[in-house]
Structures are given as structure tokens and as C-alpha cells.
Amino acid sequence: MASVKVKFRPSTIEGKTGALYFQVIHRRIVRSQKTKYKIYPDEWNARTARITLSPSRPDRHSILSRYRHEIKQDLFRLSECIANLTRKGLPYSTDDLLRFYRKRSENDTLTGFMTSLICHLKEQGRIRTGETYQCALNSFMRFRNGEEIILDEMNQETIEAYEAYLKKERLSLNTISFYMRILRAVYNRAVEKELTTQRFPFRHVYTGIEKTIKRAIPQPIIRQIKDKELLAGSSVDYARDMFLFSFYTRGMSFVDMAYLKKKDLHNGILTYRRKKTGQQLSIKWEQCMQEIIEKYPPNPTEYLLPIITSTDEDERLQYRNSLTLVNRKLKILSVFVRSPHPLSMYVARHSWASIAKSKNIPLSIISEGMGHDSETTTQIYLASLDTTIIDRANYLILNDL
């Protein structure tokens, strides 16, 4: 079994800091691994092989305490590398061990590994997924008070403590599950890359999906929203138009609305791919949709709706700012029409499906109002439908407004 010791190499220049290094011995072969830690001779206790806080340098106590913590992590990492190689049952040299250690050290902190995954997702064009990964990482680091954690330290105790923290923050079970499932996916990916050992730390935390209260509103409220007199050109009027456009287009999500292109509308058919799933959908263009387009000046960009309207600004930022504005103004509209639920763009999506169900339109067409426990099931249903049947369902709903 290999052994590891922390050693101090003083500087050849008097009064300068020396360097700490790890001495690794395996099968009587000795190798050294450099570290980034620079300390003065009186900050090292050779007997205990530990950093000591020098009374003559109180200004360095903070950084030395951090060094202690990081060295502890490094030693833990090295011990895990030794255990990993030993479990494989194959002979390895001291050089093999250090190569394995250096490979894992490059990306074995949670932040380092997740950041590399996020960059990769963005390169693939999966920007939204990258944003959700960043959101989960930010949440976990708030729990840690900004203190970094290496992947090998992500054990059951840590994850259960994180779950308790999220519950104390009064987050919903679905939000807690959302964070846990992302972190679990990241952890499993790290295991695949042999950056850590599988310890199943998520075994006893909630990673399911709790059924939520439906947020659909009835058709009379949709009619009130449509007929409500609002100041033309106001932000509330704009929010109302975006809400109705989503409803008119079978509950199209706002991100898909934002990226609709003028060329997607051809011969009376609007065809687009969902950003979330890549699913291609076709919708018959109705007069009510055209009326919304005609209310606004022609968009100077390639996009159809007045959401992304500038070629000089970041498109993603324009979409997100617009979504925030629309949802905020829809809350005001909720009061105007006395909606039983606060309005949001999601309400438009769910309402179309629920109203379609109330009209006895087959579940195979609306896939339980897009509210199946499994989104995969929804995609399977939608993929196999004749779009003319869906267009007929949409016509029946819009005709009653």
C-alpha cells in the first residue's frame, strides 16, 4: 500500500517562503508531488508535519487556515486515488498513482467539474440546460457558504444536510427534487469519468416529482382576458397579447414564441421545433394569431413576434427580460379579470389543454393537457398525431371565444 507524507522544502534564500510537497512512497519507490502552498519556516511544525500559526505573522493566519483545509482535501484525494487503484486489483507504480491523482485534481471539485459541464452544454447549444446546472450549483454553494467541496466529499451526510437546508428555505418538494436530480446526474457523470467513487449519496433524499395543483383557468376567464379594455401599447396590453398568442397556439411555451422566425409561417401553417425537446410541431394559422402580429410594427429581426427585436443586443437576454416583464404584468391582469389563479405564461399552456379536455377532445390529442407525469409520454402522443386533428381541436376552442 502506498503512503503519503507532507514535507516542507525551505527556500535557499534566507527570509523567503519555502514550498510544501507530498512525498509518495509505493514499493520503496519515492516520488514528490509539488503543491501551491508557500509558507515560512516558522509556520511549519516538522514533528507533527502540520502548518502552525506563527505569532509574528497574524496577518497570515487566515490564509494558513485555508491551506490547512485544502491540504486535508488533497490528502483525502490522494487516499481515494490509492483506494481506487487498489480496488482494481492491478499492479501500479508510484508514477501511475501520481498521474491518476493529477488527472483527478484538474476537475475534481464540484465547481470545477460542473463548470466544465456547463461550458460543454453551452457549446452544444443547450443553453437552458446549462442555466439550470448553474442554478443548482449556485444553490449548493450557498448551502456551503461559498466553501468549495471536492467530489470525493459528496457523501450521504452532506447531501442529506443540503436537503435539510433546502427544506428550511421553504422550497417546494419539486424544487428540492430539481436540484437533487441535477446534482445526482453530475455526480454520476463524475463517477463514469473515475473522478470519484460511487457511494450513492442521493439514496435517501427526495428525487421524485410531486403532483402539483393544476393552474388552469376556465374558458370564461380566457374570454375576459381577450375582451378586457386595456391601454393600447401598454406593457399590460403586450403581456395580454403574449398570453393569448400562447393560448391560441395550443399553449406554446414563451421560449418557443421568442424564437419563432418569420420563415416558420408558410402557406398558412406555422411550423417550429420545441426548444426543450426538439419536437417539431405544426399549427394552422388562425385570424386571431394574425391580429396580434398586426398590432405591432414589423420586427426588424428575423423573428416573428416582438420579443427579440434588436440585433445589437444578446438574444437570450432579450428573451429572459421579456419573460420577466410579461409574467410580472400578467399578475396585474389577474386582478383586472379576477382570475382564480395568478396568471403566467404557464397558465396559458395548461389552460388550453384543460379546456380541450373539458370539450371531450381525446386524451391522445392533448396528452392529458400536457400534464402527464412523464413528459416522454406526452412527446410520444404528440409525435404520432395527425396535425389536422390538432388544428381542428384548436379551432373548436378558439371559435368559442
Side-chain angles (χ1 to χ4, degrees), residues 355-371:
I355 293 170
K357 182 180 178 182
S358 72
K359 293 182 176 296
N360 297 317
I361 294 170
L363 293 183
S364 58
I365 295 176
I366 58 173
S367 187
E368 191 66 13
M370 320 302 193

Side-chain angles (χ1 to χ4, degrees), residues 9 16 23 64 74 140 143 174 180 198 233-234 250 256 279 281 283 322 325 336 346 366 377 393 398 400:
R9 182 180 292 115
K16 295 290 185 180
Q23 183 187 76
L64 292 176
D74 291 338
F140 189 81
F143 155 68
N174 279 344
M180 290 298 179
Q198 181 60 269
S234 67
R250 310 198 307 253
D256 292 328
Q279 177 83 20
L281 299 176
I283 301 173
S322 184
L325 171 69
F336 289 169
Y346 179 81
I366 58 173
T377 305
L398 303 184
D400 281 348

Side-chain angles (χ1 to χ4, degrees), residues 375-387:
E375 185 176 325
T376 303
T377 305
T378 304
Q379 294 169 7
I380 293 171
Y381 276 116
L382 291 176
S384 62
L385 292 176
D386 184 337
T387 57

Side-chain angles (χ1 to χ4, degrees), residues 290-303:
Q290 183 64 28
E291 289 172 358
I292 290 178
I293 298 297
E294 291 176 351
K295 276 185 65 174
Y296 297 88
N299 194 333
T301 71
E302 62 181 327
Y303 298 110

